[in-house]
Amino acid sequence: MKFTKIGFISLFSLLSVVAAFGQSTQQEKPRVEASSDSLKAGTYNGEKVQRLLGHVVIRQGATTVTSDSAYRYSSDLNKMEVFSNVHITQGTMDATSSTASYDGTSRIANMRGNVVLRDEQMTLTTPTLHYNLDAKHAYYTEAGNIVGPDYTIQSQFGTYTTENKVLSFKKNVRYLGQNAEVLSDTMAYNTVSKIVEFFGPTTIKSPDGTLFANRGTYNTVTRESNFRGNASIKTPDYLIRGNTLTYSKEKEYYTATGNVSMTSIKDTTVITGQTALYWRARGRSKVFGSPVMRSIVSRDTMYLSADTLLSVENVKDKTKKGKLYAYHDVRIFKSDLQGLCDSLTYDLNDSIIYMSRNPRLWANKNQMTADSVIMQLRNNTLDQMRMYGNSFAISVDTLENYNQVKGRRMNAYFADGKIRRIDVNGNAESLYFALQGDSATMGMNRALSSDMRMMFQDGQVQYITFLEQPDAKLIPPHELEDPDKRLKGFVWRSDEKPSRAYVLEKRTGKKKAAPAKAPAPVPPKTASTPAKAASGGKAAAPATSKGKLKAKDRRAAGRVEAVQ
């Protein structure tokens, strides 16, 4: 019986080969060989079939299919239904399933039930798999899981081409490797180059930070990234955004271009521009292309712009903030403070701003200029200002008179953004107008001294004290001439005061011509004789022409030294 069975199988195999060869010759179809322990006739889905039972082996070129049983359609011997312990091999590809349909003409196998596909160092499991043996292309539509030597990938839909070793995925894609987790909508992975390429919204979580983009590539070995489309990366120090974003792990170097923003994690500071460079290991970032820094505290925003902004972190002590350097054409705008200069350093840890090269500042109705300026902020509001070299401060009173003070060095103190005191050291000169209420000018005080102090209330001069014997005089209103109303070097620069729009405007790279200096306005005419003080009002105490000070003024003058 054993001999008879083997002879029967051999005869059946020979007849199958002859039949398949005849069909291939006539219809130019590939040759299919099949063998089994037994052969029976039957029907399947209303069609006549040959039932191959026991140790079924189907061969077609380099492809081999084995199973426990198979149905071969009598109308087309190249088509088969394969059952139980299905196993398909082709080169390095090896696939198993519970059942399968195999078409030797189209060279397509549809595998169903517990499908497992192995190809060298990759294993795919899925409920169903469609495999084109000629194109060596497989795809699944009912969720798949791929396991490699150092990664796993899950998705709802996926394709795999064994020739180029590329996996493609759609919907609920999750890549998990040694260096990163990738969540995407549409993604491809090259099992040779180890590069992930994505074509839809994607998030990458790695030790380098959390990255997001709509398009781009990520090398899972070198961790180099190239992102496009609303790209962003969140590091321990910054959230960086841009139209495009690249990252080099080897150099710890990020670049962002197009609508760039860098948000500091430690505070509410945001820097925007068109190009950003970030050296993470060195703690340095550089932004250019109309860069603007925004710092928000208590619902008030300070805007600072320049041709280039350079941020330097405190790499030695990460708990502390760093410094911001702004250079060329610096502009500042805040509701209670505006400023211009050529270059600036902002110590974010101490809230100190250093301005150099023609600094000009406006605080409410006060204008301050010097060769260099240091501003101390408190809660993002101006608290102190130290001016060095050719210091000059101008304030406007209610009658549009220009109160002025100048000297070598000047310290100004503010409360709630309003000036409350100015201390002048070295060649101090002052010129301020004594008012009767808010309706008339009683006269103008002009004084010279080595040091002086001016006190303000609601932006108006209240009194002035001197450390040394002053040279002072009071000029009555009817004797005032225009030259008397200005200290040497007086320039009122209200036309230069930057607006918010001016600070935020796009920079073209072309230097603007400096705005023409407007001539100093002529104060309104005053009465020839001062009017009596209004009821309840009190005129400011003027310095006498003989330079004598009252006792209380001498005591106040003694306090000047204490604050220097």
Side-chain angles (χ1 to χ4, degrees):
M1 287 298 293
K2 185 176 181 180
F3 174 80
T4 306
K5 183 178 180 181
I6 294 174
F8 173 76
I9 294 173
S10 301
L11 177 63
F12 169 72
S13 299
L14 177 62
L15 291 172
S16 299
V17 169
V18 171
F21 178 76
Q23 284 191 352
S24 177
T25 303
Q26 296 175 3
Q27 303 178 19
E28 298 183 355
K29 295 180 179 180
R31 177 178 295 179
V32 176
E33 298 177 354
S35 64
S36 65
D37 289 343
S38 63
L39 175 67
K40 295 182 179 180
T43 59
Y44 181 74
N45 290 336
E47 292 191 46
K48 292 182 179 180
V49 297
Q50 298 173 350
R51 298 174 60 196
L52 287 72
L53 305 174
H55 299 96
V56 177
V57 178
I58 302 169
R59 292 187 177 89
Q60 187 178 31
T63 304
T64 301
V65 181
T66 63
S67 67
D68 292 342
S69 63
Y71 292 169
R72 191 173 194 178
Y73 291 97
S74 300
S75 60
D76 187 347
L77 297 180
N78 277 349
K79 290 185 177 181
M80 295 184 174
E81 301 293 336
V82 190
F83 305 96
S84 185
N85 296 316
V86 178
H87 188 187
I88 301 176
T89 58
Q90 182 190 44
T92 61
M93 189 280 295
D94 181 293
T96 60
S97 65
S98 298
T99 63
S101 298
Y102 179 71
D103 189 330
T105 303
S106 63
R107 299 275 290 158
I108 291 176
N110 290 308
M111 307 181 73
R112 301 177 295 274
N114 302 316
V115 180
V116 179
L117 184 147
R118 299 175 181 86
D119 186 15
E120 295 182 323
Q121 295 183 339
M122 181 217 72
T123 301
L124 162 66
T125 57
T126 183
T128 61
L129 184 72
H130 181 92
Y131 188 69
N132 187 315
L133 290 103
D134 283 339
K136 298 182 179 180
H137 178 84
Y139 70 86
Y140 57 86
T141 59
E142 296 183 60
N145 185 72
I146 294 174
V147 179
D150 55 3
Y151 67 88
T152 61
I153 302 175
Q154 300 170 346
S155 68
Q156 182 66 35
F157 306 100
T159 64
Y160 176 54
T161 304
T162 58
E163 285 285 295
N164 56 20
K165 310 299 182 184
V166 173
L167 296 153
S168 300
F169 310 95
K170 283 185 69 67
K171 196 174 181 180
N172 302 325
V173 185
R174 181 177 183 263
Y175 166 96
L176 184 62
Q178 291 182 332
N179 295 323
E181 178 186 18
V182 182
L183 305 174
S184 180
D185 175 72
T186 307
M187 189 187 85
Y189 178 66
N190 190 309
T191 59
V192 177
S193 66
K194 309 296 183 182
I195 292 178
V196 170
E197 184 173 5
F198 45 91
F199 310 90
T202 300
T203 300
I204 299 176
K205 300 177 181 179
S206 75
D208 308 311
T210 301
L211 303 99
F212 175 84
N214 290 324
R215 290 289 304 272
T217 60
Y218 176 74
N219 190 312
T220 60
V221 178
T222 65
R223 285 145 70 174
E224 289 189 358
S225 310
N226 290 276
F227 302 138
R228 303 183 300 279
N230 191 29
S232 68
I233 179 168
K234 185 177 182 180
T235 73
D237 301 300
Y238 285 105
L239 172 61
I240 306 172
R241 301 178 185 272
N243 293 340
T244 63
L245 183 65
T246 66
Y247 172 62
S248 170
K249 170 59 180 176
E250 181 182 359
K251 299 179 181 178
E252 290 283 321
Y253 176 60
Y254 300 80
T255 66
T257 58
N259 300 316
V260 172
S261 69
M262 294 185 67
T263 303
S264 174
I265 304 299
K266 298 175 184 177
D267 49 45
T268 55
T269 301
V270 181
I271 300 176
T272 59
Q274 291 304 310
T275 302
L277 312 176
Y278 178 40
W279 297 266
R280 181 177 175 182
R282 295 163 56 191
R284 290 175 176 264
S285 56
K286 186 177 183 180
V287 184
F288 46 93
S290 302
V292 177
M293 184 204 77
R294 294 167 170 82
S295 184
I296 306 171
V297 174
S298 302
R299 300 183 180 180
D300 193 8
T301 303
M302 183 174 75
Y303 302 90
L304 188 155
S305 69
D307 291 340
T308 303
L309 296 180
L310 175 65
S311 176
V312 179
E313 302 165 24
N314 191 328
V315 294
K316 294 182 179 180
D317 188 350
K318 286 289 187 178
T319 63
K320 295 183 178 180
K321 302 175 185 178
K323 293 182 180 180
L324 177 77
Y325 298 89
Y327 43 94
H328 306 318
D329 193 12
V330 179
R331 309 170 189 175
I332 300 172
F333 178 86
K334 192 172 174 291
S335 61
D336 55 2
L337 176 69
Q338 299 81 43
L340 298 171
C341 66
D342 178 75
S343 55
L344 172 150
T345 301
Y346 185 8
D347 189 327
L348 297 168
N349 194 63
D350 297 327
S351 297
I352 296 177
I353 298 176
Y354 304 84
M355 303 176 69
S356 60
R357 295 186 182 180
N358 194 25
R360 290 145 286 165
L361 288 148
W362 295 265
N364 294 311
K365 292 186 177 182
N366 304 287
Q367 173 186 292
M368 285 146 287
T369 59
D371 293 341
S372 62
V373 173
I374 298 177
M375 290 192 295
Q376 173 72 62
L377 304 182
R378 189 185 299 274
N379 296 327
N380 212 32
T381 298
L382 184 60
D383 184 64
Q384 294 183 33
M385 184 183 298
R386 298 188 290 276
M387 295 169 277
Y388 302 91
N390 298 309
S391 304
F392 207 124
I394 306 171
S395 63
V396 182
D397 64 21
T398 56
L399 297 182
E400 300 298 321
N401 294 313
Y402 293 88
N403 296 312
Q404 304 150 53
V405 59
K406 59 181 289 190
R408 283 200 305 266
R409 174 178 171 177
M410 192 180 299
N411 291 345
Y413 301 87
F414 297 79
D416 299 324
K418 295 181 180 180
I419 192 166
R420 63 182 178 86
R421 190 179 96 205
I422 292 180
D423 293 336
V424 188
N425 302 106
N427 298 333
E429 295 184 57
S430 69
L431 186 157
Y432 76 98
F433 293 82
L435 301 184
Q436 182 180 19
D438 294 330
S439 59
T441 300
M442 296 177 60
M444 185 189 76
N445 286 293
R446 186 162 189 165
L448 287 81
S449 180
S450 61
D451 304 283
M452 69 173 64
R453 170 177 290 175
M454 299 181 73
M455 301 301 296
F456 294 77
Q457 184 175 346
D458 297 327
Q460 307 301 319
V461 178
Q462 292 301 296
Y463 63 88
I464 182 170
T465 59
F466 303 93
L467 183 62
E468 299 292 341
Q469 190 77 356
D471 179 8
K473 61 179 178 178
L474 173 65
I475 304 175
H478 63 277
E479 295 181 10
L480 285 176
E481 301 290 342
D482 284 344
D484 298 328
K485 302 174 185 177
R486 305 288 182 264
L487 293 178
K488 185 179 180 181
F490 174 94
V491 180
W492 182 244
R493 303 172 180 269
S494 61
D495 57 321
E496 299 179 25
K497 184 165 66 172
S499 64
R500 178 178 177 273
Y502 181 64
V503 173
L504 298 178
E505 76 175 7
K506 184 177 180 180
R507 296 178 181 236
T508 61
K510 297 179 180 180
K511 295 295 182 181
K512 286 187 176 182
K517 295 179 181 178
V522 177
K525 293 182 179 180
T526 58
S528 58
T529 55
K532 292 182 179 180
S535 176
K538 184 178 181 181
T544 65
S545 59
K546 293 182 180 180
K548 294 182 179 179
L549 297 176
K550 294 181 180 180
K552 67 174 183 178
D553 292 335
R554 292 194 187 96
R555 289 194 298 271
R559 292 195 298 271
V560 175
E561 282 189 330
V563 298
Q564 301 312 312

